[in-house]
Amino acid sequence: MKREILYALPFILLLFVSMSNETLLIDHDDKKQFLVTDYGAVPDGTTLNTKAIQKAIDAAHKRKKGGKVVFTKGKFLSGSIELKSNVTLFFEEGAVLLGSTNPTDYKKMDFEGRPVSPKKDDNSQMALILAHKANNIKLAGKGIIDGQGLELALKIDSLHHAGITIDPNYNVKRHRPNETMRPKLFRFSQCNNVEVRDLKVGEAACWGLSFELCNNLVIDGLTVVNRSYWNNDGMDITDSKNVRITNCNINSADDGICLKSYYPGYANDSIYIANNVIRSSASAIKFGSASYGGFKNVTIENIQVFDTFRSALAFESVDGAVIENINVNNVVAKNTGNAFFIRLGHRDGEKSGVVKNISIKNVKVEVPFGRPDIDYDLRGPEVNYFHNPFASSIAGIPGHHIENVSLENIEISYPGRASKSMAYIPLSRLAQVPEEVKGYPEFTMFGELPAYGLYVRHASGISMKNIKLTLQNEDFRPAFVFDDVKGIIANEIELPKSSKGQFILKDTEKIELDVESSNLIEKY
């Protein structure tokens, strides 16, 4: 009998652990419920429920174990509400939280205790849902959070023109109030243990979901449609650690998933972005342009990109940030203006940043001849010159190289049709490509590029393996231009047939090129 009990003991312990875990999950998911309707909220889409919703949140927060604030079926109109520790906002199927279209219903949170940022007032501190130093918070359910951003932004614009609420930074050229005057959908700062799951969210007057200096953040299963107005990023992650963004479908009039760094000495660190579908009138996944601290240990995999005007992938350090240890795997981009853009500049900050150790593999991209985002109502601004379709680029600045970039299993289809009558730069004048050391980082920043496939300047340690470039029509430019590059290893390169040079080398050394014909290599 004792032996039987001894043999059964491990299974008993396993059963006990399983029951314990199940109990913990039940405790987490079945928190005491606080229905917003019990606190006076009216789901008619017209009654302003800000105070009633906040009362429900405050009541759940005061409870020792926290609670679940529930939005039942109906439309709940609200201004800014503040989410607090140990509170879940749960939206039942058919529940809709509508952002007020009255600008005075939004408050600006001070977010005291943050580190000093050179650009601390560069983006809006207002939002429909705010959280500051809140821990163990969650938003989930099958409902909708709709910022009603177009109507809200137009009212903000009208107040400016009426002289009631003046925007000192009003964008006269594009006839719109600055983003600092327009509320976001979410604005979370210095929060720990945050989950946002399964909701349909978006239509803000500014950025969609904004998380700053947060730790342990999970964003999963969201549908994000944020294309009501200008500066409509899908989601922005600023100097946060241990972040997972998975299984989301994002459609945004500005950058889809944007990592930013506003604080020197801080960084986005340990970021996992996977299994997302992204459409954007700007870039799909972007680091920057705010880039003061860093972007470290980031994994991006299993991403689908569609109808995106700018870059499928953009990594930008222009304010002193360190970008390092970035791994990209399995990206398919159809109808996008640019495959990838890697940039080290010196726009701001005390010293130039660092960009190193980037691996991009298993990527397939289709670049069209026309605008990829033509079906957007609000599109990215046109470039200021006639141009040919742009190559991918890896571009540092004089004296500061981008280091150790590995490209493997990359296939990019280009439209060709480039014309020498469109901003032609001959290979004998490669120095004519501007440096733009202080320029705003964008794949079009250099104007016409002298390569159709990949342009590399001021870089060290470039490795390329199994690279296939195709042209739908002829292009007079070569496939590759390397200018001031130290260390190139290229194997298994497949290009359209050509009788002229396809690897252009200028001030380049330590070269290992596995090329069938030597006439494909030209030095300048």
Side-chain angles (χ1 to χ4, degrees):
M1 186 68 178
K2 289 181 180 180
R3 180 179 297 179
E4 292 174 352
I5 294 174
L6 184 62
Y7 282 131
L9 186 57
F11 299 98
I12 295 170
L13 290 173
L14 180 61
L15 179 62
F16 177 76
V17 170
S18 301
M19 293 175 61
S20 298
N21 288 336
E22 183 179 355
T23 302
L24 288 173
L25 289 172
I26 291 172
D27 285 346
H28 177 74
D29 290 340
D30 287 354
K31 288 181 176 180
K32 178 176 172 58
Q33 294 191 1
F34 296 79
L35 275 63
V36 294
T37 50
D38 289 346
Y39 290 82
V42 180
D44 59 3
T46 57
T47 301
L48 187 66
N49 295 300
T50 311
K51 291 182 179 179
I53 296 170
Q54 193 62 55
K55 284 181 181 178
I57 293 172
D58 292 345
H61 170 65
K62 289 177 182 177
R63 184 171 177 267
K64 186 175 181 181
K65 293 183 179 180
K68 180 189 290 187
V69 174
V70 178
F71 292 80
T72 54
K73 184 177 180 180
K75 295 181 178 181
F76 297 88
L77 184 70
S78 179
S80 293
I81 54 175
E82 183 180 354
L83 187 55
K84 298 182 178 180
S85 293
N86 302 316
V87 175
T88 293
L89 297 187
F90 185 82
F91 297 82
E92 293 183 348
E93 189 169 3
V96 181
L97 177 62
L98 292 173
S100 172
T101 58
N102 184 347
T104 63
D105 291 332
Y106 293 87
K107 67 179 182 179
K108 180 178 180 180
M109 185 167 280
D110 186 26
F111 296 117
E112 77 282 352
R114 291 182 301 167
V116 176
S117 165
K119 297 277 188 178
K120 67 178 180 179
D121 295 323
D122 195 42
N123 62 81
S124 176
Q125 308 300 327
M126 297 181 291
L128 176 58
I129 302 178
L130 297 162
H132 177 54
K133 293 185 177 179
N135 301 321
N136 306 317
I137 55 179
K138 182 176 180 179
L139 296 93
K142 296 183 178 180
I144 297 171
I145 303 175
D146 181 349
Q148 300 198 101
L150 178 58
E151 189 175 350
L152 174 58
L154 292 177
K155 287 187 177 180
I156 294 169
D157 186 76
S158 297
L159 289 172
H160 170 80
H161 290 293
I164 297 172
T165 304
I166 299 296
D167 178 359
N169 299 309
Y170 189 87
N171 191 324
V172 177
K173 180 180 178 181
R174 294 178 181 157
H175 305 288
R176 68 176 190 253
N178 185 273
E179 57 263 36
T180 59
M181 303 293 290
R182 293 180 269 121
K184 300 172 181 175
L185 199 70
F186 294 4
R187 181 73 171 89
F188 290 10
S189 177
Q190 295 173 273
C191 297
N192 297 307
N193 304 327
V194 180
E195 292 185 35
V196 186
R197 295 185 183 273
D198 302 328
L199 298 166
K200 295 180 179 180
V201 300
E203 306 302 8
C206 191
W207 299 353
L209 314 184
S210 177
F211 302 90
E212 174 189 85
L213 296 162
C214 293
N215 293 320
N216 301 328
L217 168 64
V218 174
I219 302 171
D220 182 71
L222 299 186
T223 299
V224 181
V225 179
N226 204 41
R227 47 185 289 185
S228 290
Y229 204 64
W230 302 95
N231 310 108
N232 273 182
D233 289 6
M235 57 183 73
D236 294 81
I237 312 298
T238 299
D239 292 318
S240 296
K241 294 182 179 180
N242 299 323
V243 177
R244 294 178 62 88
I245 304 171
T246 54
N247 306 310
C248 294
N249 193 317
I250 301 166
N251 186 342
S252 58
D254 211 316
D255 299 317
I257 298 175
C258 190
L259 274 58
K260 296 181 178 292
S261 181
Y262 281 99
Y263 304 104
Y266 291 77
N268 290 291
D269 192 350
S270 301
I271 313 294
Y272 182 67
I273 301 171
N275 306 318
N276 299 297
V277 178
I278 306 171
R279 291 173 173 85
S280 168
S281 191
S283 293
I285 298 177
K286 175 180 172 180
F287 295 12
S289 67
S291 47
Y292 289 90
F295 310 86
K296 303 178 180 181
N297 308 313
V298 181
T299 297
I300 300 168
E301 62 184 6
N302 304 330
I303 304 295
Q304 297 181 56
V305 177
F306 297 95
D307 306 338
T308 291
F309 175 52
R310 294 178 180 154
S311 301
L313 301 164
F315 308 116
E316 306 164 359
S317 171
V318 294
D319 304 313
V322 175
I323 298 178
E324 63 179 346
N325 301 335
I326 313 301
N327 289 285
V328 178
N329 180 36
N330 193 20
V331 175
V332 176
K334 296 182 179 180
N335 196 32
T336 188
N338 181 250
F340 61 86
F341 174 69
I342 303 174
R343 173 61 171 165
L344 171 61
H346 194 185
R347 175 182 66 179
D348 199 2
E350 295 182 2
K351 59 182 181 179
S352 298
V354 174
V355 178
K356 64 181 181 180
N357 302 337
I358 296 176
S359 170
I360 301 175
K361 62 183 181 180
N362 301 318
V363 171
K364 186 174 183 178
V365 179
E366 296 177 7
V367 177
F369 186 77
R371 281 197 70 120
D373 64 341
I374 195 65
D375 290 333
Y376 276 81
D377 296 327
L378 295 170
R379 294 178 293 277
E382 290 277 10
V383 294
N384 297 322
Y385 42 79
F386 291 106
H387 67 284
N388 295 315
F390 285 94
S392 295
S393 55
I394 302 170
I397 56 178
H400 298 275
H401 279 202
I402 293 172
E403 304 173 45
N404 301 330
V405 177
S406 173
L407 308 175
E408 184 176 355
N409 300 336
I410 310 291
E411 181 177 346
I412 306 176
S413 169
Y414 290 100
R417 295 175 59 186
S419 168
K420 287 188 177 182
S421 64
M422 298 169 67
Y424 170 53
I425 295 180
L427 296 178
S428 60
R429 301 204 306 269
L430 290 177
Q432 186 177 327
V433 179
E435 293 287 356
E436 291 287 353
V437 174
K438 292 184 176 294
Y440 184 89
E442 201 62 82
F443 78 100
T444 56
M445 68 185 299
F446 307 114
E448 173 78 5
L449 287 172
Y452 76 79
L454 176 63
Y455 176 74
V456 184
R457 181 167 59 175
H458 308 311
S460 301
I462 303 298
S463 173
M464 304 190 301
K465 182 178 180 181
N466 191 19
I467 309 298
K468 180 180 180 181
L469 304 182
T470 62
L471 287 168
Q472 297 175 16
N473 299 277
E474 288 187 6
D475 196 304
F476 72 90
R477 297 170 294 179
F480 302 98
V481 169
F482 298 92
D483 186 353
D484 183 26
V485 180
K486 293 178 174 59
I488 304 170
I489 299 175
N491 296 294
E492 302 177 42
I493 309 297
E494 183 178 343
L495 303 173
K497 290 185 178 179
S498 177
S499 59
K500 59 184 180 181
Q502 295 297 299
F503 290 81
I504 307 303
L505 308 177
K506 178 179 180 291
D507 298 329
T508 297
E509 58 187 47
K510 298 181 180 178
I511 306 159
E512 297 181 26
L513 299 180
D514 178 16
V515 180
E516 292 182 358
S517 177
S518 61
N519 71 336
L520 295 180
I521 302 172
E522 293 185 13
K523 295 183 180 182
Y524 285 82

